[in-house]
């Protein structure tokens, strides 16, 4: 699988389908959730980006895919590529990856997309969790280094329903965008480990910042009627 010239998507993807799904999905996301994107101006309009985000719920990827203002290629676990859903994901331009197994083809495709100025999105924790990003795998840092791309950290909260709670009507989802940064360059495991720790640290710090922001809003006293902001 290679990259389609100029589209920012892999070969076999349908750019018009990708764009249409993103536009329709953005409308649906705002119907299902009350989405607030903080510091969206930090998202570069051009240039190669490896987007990294914390991962707490299945819908993290679809929501981020829809609220981003650029075409983006997510690395999606291979188990989702069965039947009609798999064909749809391929036409959408998403890349299947096998967790825990050497699979260089999608990674090399992602590198090519990055060198062509595209956006590749990765959940560096590798699986869903509580989202604090206590650990990270090497993939995001390796892609940024190999694809000569900046890393864009994005923190997301609100999609995951608290354990034991009732289903919520239009829960609020907050997406906080951090400043893009470059990872250490060079060859070898030591440099890759340092780059991975930079990715983990930046993303973990951004998640903590979002948690503090939300905690501050919840703890802020409500203004009396007629009181000025």
């Amino acid at each position: 699988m290679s990259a389609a010239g100029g589209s920012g998507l892999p070969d076999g993807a349908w750019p018009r389908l990708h764009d249409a799904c993103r536009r329709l999905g953005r409308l649906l996301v705002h119907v299902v959730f009350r989405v607030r994107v903080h510091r969206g101006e930090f998202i570069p309009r051009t240039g190669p980006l490896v987007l990294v985000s914390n991962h707490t719920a299945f819908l993290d990827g679809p929501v981020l895919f829809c609220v981003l203002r650029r075409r983006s290629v997510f690395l999606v676990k291979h188990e989702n590529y069965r039947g009609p859903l798999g064909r749809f994901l391929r036409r959408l331009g998403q890349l299947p990856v096998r967790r825990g197994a050497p699979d260089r083809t999608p990674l090399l495709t992602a590198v090519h997309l990055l060198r062509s100025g595209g956006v590749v999105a990765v959940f560096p924790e590798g699986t869903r969790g509580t989202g604090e990003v206590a650990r990270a795998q090497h993939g995001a840092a390796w892609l940024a280094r190999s694809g000569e791309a900046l890393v864009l950290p994005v923190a997301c909260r609100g999609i995951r329903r608290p354990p034991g709670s009732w289903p919520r009507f239009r829960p609020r989802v907050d997406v906080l965008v951090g400043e893009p940064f470059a990872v250490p360059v060079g060859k070898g495991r030591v440099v890759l480990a340092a780059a991975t720790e930079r990715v983990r640290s930046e993303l973990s710090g951004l998640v903590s910042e979002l948690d503090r922001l939300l905690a501050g809003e919840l703890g802020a006293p409500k203004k009396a009627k007629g009181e000025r902001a």
Side-chain angles (χ1 to χ4, degrees), residues 3-40:
S7 71
L9 301 174
D11 282 343
W14 294 353
R16 290 185 179 179
L17 175 66
H18 181 103
D19 294 341
C21 287
R22 221 171 67 245
R23 287 192 295 266
L24 177 60
R26 190 176 303 130
L27 294 175
L28 292 176
V29 161
H30 284 282
V31 170
V32 177
F33 301 106
R34 291 175 292 134
V35 181
R36 300 193 314 174
V37 178
H38 308 267
R39 300 202 302 239

Side-chain angles (χ1 to χ4, degrees), residues 88-105:
F88 172 74
L89 289 172
R90 291 182 189 279
R91 296 307 182 197
L92 203 59
Q94 310 309 291
L95 290 174
V97 291
R98 299 180 187 274
R99 294 183 297 182
D103 191 3
R104 293 182 60 84
T105 300

Side-chain angles (χ1 to χ4, degrees), residues 102-118:
D103 191 3
R104 293 182 60 84
T105 300
L107 295 179
L108 293 176
T109 299
V111 168
H112 189 79
L113 289 169
L114 291 169
R115 290 183 177 176
S116 300

Side-chain angles (χ1 to χ4, degrees), residues 67-87:
V67 301
L68 286 175
R69 296 291 178 173
R70 292 180 60 179
R71 289 176 177 172
S72 55
V73 175
F74 280 71
L75 301 185
V76 181
K77 64 180 181 179
H78 193 271
E79 291 83 349
N80 289 334
Y81 282 75
R82 296 193 181 102
L85 176 60
R87 290 191 291 274

Side-chain angles (χ1 to χ4, degrees), residues 109-134:
T109 299
V111 168
H112 189 79
L113 289 169
L114 291 169
R115 290 183 177 176
S116 300
V119 179
V120 174
V122 181
F123 295 113
E125 295 168 281
T127 187
R128 294 193 293 271
T130 57
E132 281 78 19
V133 199

